Amino acid sequence: MIRPVVYVPADLDLVLRLEVSRFRETMGAEPEQTLEKMWETFGNSSAQSQNSKWLVPALKSTDTLWRGGRLGMKGCKDFVFVLRGRFASAREGYGLRPETNKRDLGAGWFSYDFAPRGRSVAARLYWRPPELAVVVSSAEIDSAERSVEHSQDTTRLEPSETGLMSLSARSKALAQVLRERSPKAADWLSKSERIELRFEPSAKV
């Protein structure tokens, strides 16, 4: 069985995995608002507003998400979201803009292009109902074609499949972001290739 993380392009610096279904149980009936606030750490305010229009509705049908991003001084502006869940057969109703181009890729996959409105905004949707959606920012379209349409990426980051949340990141990219604020941490990170984290909340007593 193919792990959905393989659809995250290999050129990104960080991949975060979140068990949304478990997060939903922890945070209550409507955790999407909390996840939307997490999104606000990425990109500019205009991009946040445009992306949240599809992110929140899609999360309501998502069990697990993977978010790949390119690290920079102002957050992860280039992104690919891979969502695994129980989606409707049609992509309408998830807050994405009307497409400018639709393709049938075979094997149940469709792709929809949207008029670009900046580097940090959703520009393409890969859709394989009812279980998979891949949302791609403008800058990552070529890379996503390699990973989703041609399965050509082989050096990707793959966070652990266990835990409520897990993360895999390229250490040197993270060190570059942290160098001004924490030189010692940056020096430590630069000596390794990757950093792997896993979060599992403590059991309730």
Side-chain angles (χ1 to χ4, degrees):
M1 182 177 179
I2 296 177
R3 296 176 62 197
V5 70
V6 302
Y7 301 122
V8 177
D11 65 334
L12 296 175
D13 299 319
L14 176 150
V15 179
L16 170 73
R17 170 194 147 274
L18 177 66
E19 288 289 341
V20 180
S21 57
R22 289 185 57 201
F23 189 82
R24 187 178 291 114
E25 293 172 0
T26 302
M27 298 302 297
E30 296 184 356
E32 288 77 18
Q33 285 70 27
T34 302
L35 291 168
E36 184 179 9
K37 291 180 180 179
M38 293 170 61
W39 166 259
E40 291 176 359
T41 60
F42 304 106
N44 54 55
S45 58
S46 174
Q48 292 163 11
S49 175
Q50 293 180 61
N51 283 308
S52 65
K53 291 178 181 178
W54 64 261
L55 181 63
V56 172
L59 284 172
K60 291 181 182 293
S61 302
T62 299
D63 292 328
T64 308
L65 73 79
W66 291 261
R67 186 200 190 281
R70 180 169 290 103
L71 292 168
M73 298 307 294
K74 296 183 179 180
C76 301
K77 291 188 175 182
D78 304 337
F79 67 81
V80 172
F81 275 92
V82 179
L83 309 175
R84 180 175 63 191
R86 293 154 289 178
F87 302 105
S89 58
R91 61 122 193 125
E92 288 78 8
Y94 288 102
L96 288 154
R97 303 188 306 278
E99 70 271 6
T100 59
N101 183 41
K102 175 183 177 181
R103 293 181 296 151
D104 184 341
L105 303 177
W109 281 100
F110 296 88
S111 77
Y112 303 87
D113 288 342
F114 311 107
R117 295 183 181 178
R119 177 173 183 148
S120 304
V121 178
R124 175 174 293 176
L125 167 70
Y126 288 102
W127 188 253
R128 195 182 76 183
E131 73 275 14
L132 283 175
V134 181
V135 186
V136 184
S137 67
S138 297
E140 284 301 304
I141 285 180
D142 289 345
S143 297
E145 287 180 355
R146 291 193 296 270
S147 61
V148 179
E149 299 184 35
H150 306 298
S151 302
Q152 292 179 345
D153 279 347
T154 59
T155 58
R156 64 184 62 85
L157 299 168
E158 296 193 25
S160 172
E161 287 287 313
T162 62
L164 175 65
M165 183 185 299
S166 55
L167 179 144
S168 180
R170 302 189 195 285
S171 300
K172 291 179 174 58
L174 186 57
Q176 186 174 357
V177 173
L178 293 176
R179 189 161 300 281
E180 284 190 13
R181 289 175 289 179
S182 183
K184 289 184 178 180
D187 289 342
W188 177 75
L189 283 168
S190 64
K191 297 175 183 178
S192 64
E193 291 296 323
R194 296 185 183 182
I195 182 170
E196 306 280 343
L197 300 175
R198 186 175 70 91
F199 172 72
E200 183 64 66
S202 300
K204 294 182 179 180
V205 179

